Amino acid sequence: MNYKSYSFSITEWIRYGLEGSIIIGMVSWLFYDSVLMFVLLIIPFLYLYLKRKRNELCIKRKALLNRQFREVILAVSSHLQAGFSVENAFREAYQDICVLFGKKSLMAKELSWILRRVENNEALEQALMQLALRSGLEDIHEFAEVFAIAKRGGGEIRNIIARTADIIGDKMEVKREIQTIISEKQMEQKIMQCMPFGIIGYLSLTSPGYLDSMYHNALGMVIMTVCLFIYVLACFLAEKILDIDI
């Protein structure tokens, strides 16, 4: 699996296609009160929405893989300290991951793939490096490099991996704490993004005709388009501010 890109399943195509269509329908109704605008907006905006959703799911999948990988290196370190060989430590870690996350989890599948390659006489460090390259995750890449150096150097691999596992584990823990703080602000941002739709919808439902002067005329459409542009720009800037690379 290439974790740098994401492909929708059939269910996801239907789900996110409907979500995007509903959002575009709300924009067409609240800002233009026009079915024609829905027809004009559906193709370009739905394309952008699906592209955006694909990027979000790709980031979430990589974050999930990173969290599960943390458990892998902790399990490997624990089994090495218990006296297992490196290969057997990874086999035992696979069993632990299956118990924690299930056999269909990302890391369970990846460990199964790695162990099969080892059984085919491929070096374990090469299989780990392949995972690092496909995942695009810094933590996995660092661990793979340290593991490869330790294997080639023939040093105290147990202590090296244990120390590396502790460092990466602490690093991931700090990232998780920072992400928790950021998530609170992201939730506030999403609430603020919904406010303009709520205000316009409230006026349309409680005061019919109040916004008629903004619909079905050139000046009104220009004003609403400018407002929509400012709204989209504000949402974009807010996301850029909260898009903190941890």
Side-chain angles (χ1 to χ4, degrees):
M1 182 184 297
N2 184 7
Y3 293 92
K4 298 177 183 179
S5 60
Y6 190 94
S7 299
F8 286 137
S9 64
I10 296 177
T11 304
E12 288 173 333
W13 274 112
I14 297 173
R15 173 185 174 183
Y16 297 120
L18 289 174
E19 284 184 6
S21 299
I22 291 172
I23 293 173
I24 296 168
M26 290 180 60
V27 170
S28 302
W29 170 52
L30 295 175
F31 282 83
Y32 300 103
D33 190 29
S34 172
V35 177
L36 177 61
M37 290 303 298
F38 175 80
V39 175
L40 294 176
L41 294 174
I42 185 67
I43 295 179
F45 276 79
L46 188 59
Y47 169 78
L48 294 174
Y49 178 80
L50 292 176
K51 182 179 179 181
R52 171 190 173 87
K53 185 59 67 173
R54 185 182 288 111
N55 291 335
E56 289 180 359
L57 293 174
C58 183
I59 293 172
K60 288 182 180 179
R61 185 177 62 182
K62 290 174 70 172
L64 177 61
L65 179 69
N66 211 23
R67 290 195 299 269
Q68 293 182 2
F69 180 75
R70 176 177 182 268
E71 300 300 328
V72 170
I73 58 177
L74 292 176
V76 169
S77 175
S78 175
H79 291 305
L80 285 173
Q81 296 298 325
F84 286 88
S85 66
V86 176
E87 288 76 12
N88 287 333
F90 273 89
R91 290 189 179 94
E92 293 298 320
Y94 169 72
Q95 300 297 329
D96 295 341
I97 293 301
C98 288
V99 173
L100 284 173
F101 304 111
K103 290 186 176 181
K104 294 184 178 181
S105 62
L106 295 175
M107 275 313 307
K109 292 179 180 179
E110 291 296 343
L111 283 175
S112 177
W113 173 79
I114 289 173
L115 294 174
R116 285 199 302 271
R117 297 187 66 172
V118 171
E119 291 173 357
N120 291 329
N121 297 322
E122 183 173 345
L124 178 57
E125 56 268 30
Q126 291 180 357
L128 285 172
M129 187 57 69
Q130 285 293 323
L131 171 60
L133 293 175
R134 287 188 291 107
S135 68
L137 292 172
E138 180 183 356
D139 292 328
I140 299 180
H141 195 272
E142 289 177 354
F143 178 80
E145 286 187 337
V146 171
F147 182 81
I149 294 171
K151 285 274 286 186
R152 288 196 301 267
E156 286 292 332
I157 191 168
R158 288 180 173 85
N159 294 332
I160 293 173
I161 293 179
R163 179 58 178 164
T164 304
D166 290 338
I167 293 173
I168 294 178
D170 293 342
K171 181 180 177 182
M172 290 183 179
E173 189 64 32
V174 172
K175 283 184 177 181
R176 186 158 48 204
E177 292 177 1
I178 296 174
Q179 186 60 48
T180 300
I181 298 174
I182 296 175
S183 297
E184 297 176 0
K185 300 302 179 182
Q186 288 175 336
M187 180 59 66
E188 295 176 3
Q189 174 208 345
K190 291 179 180 179
I191 294 173
M192 293 302 295
Q193 286 179 346
C194 295
M195 290 299 293
F197 290 96
I199 294 172
I200 298 175
Y202 176 79
L203 290 174
S204 299
L205 295 174
T206 58
S207 303
Y210 184 80
L211 297 175
D212 285 353
S213 60
M214 306 301 295
Y215 299 138
H216 310 297
N217 63 84
L219 180 60
M221 292 185 66
V222 170
I223 294 174
M224 295 301 279
T225 301
V226 171
C227 292
L228 181 60
F229 175 79
I230 294 173
Y231 167 76
V232 172
L233 180 62
C235 292
F236 176 77
L237 291 176
E239 290 184 357
K240 282 295 182 182
I241 292 172
L242 292 176
D243 185 17
I244 301 173
D245 188 15
I246 304 173

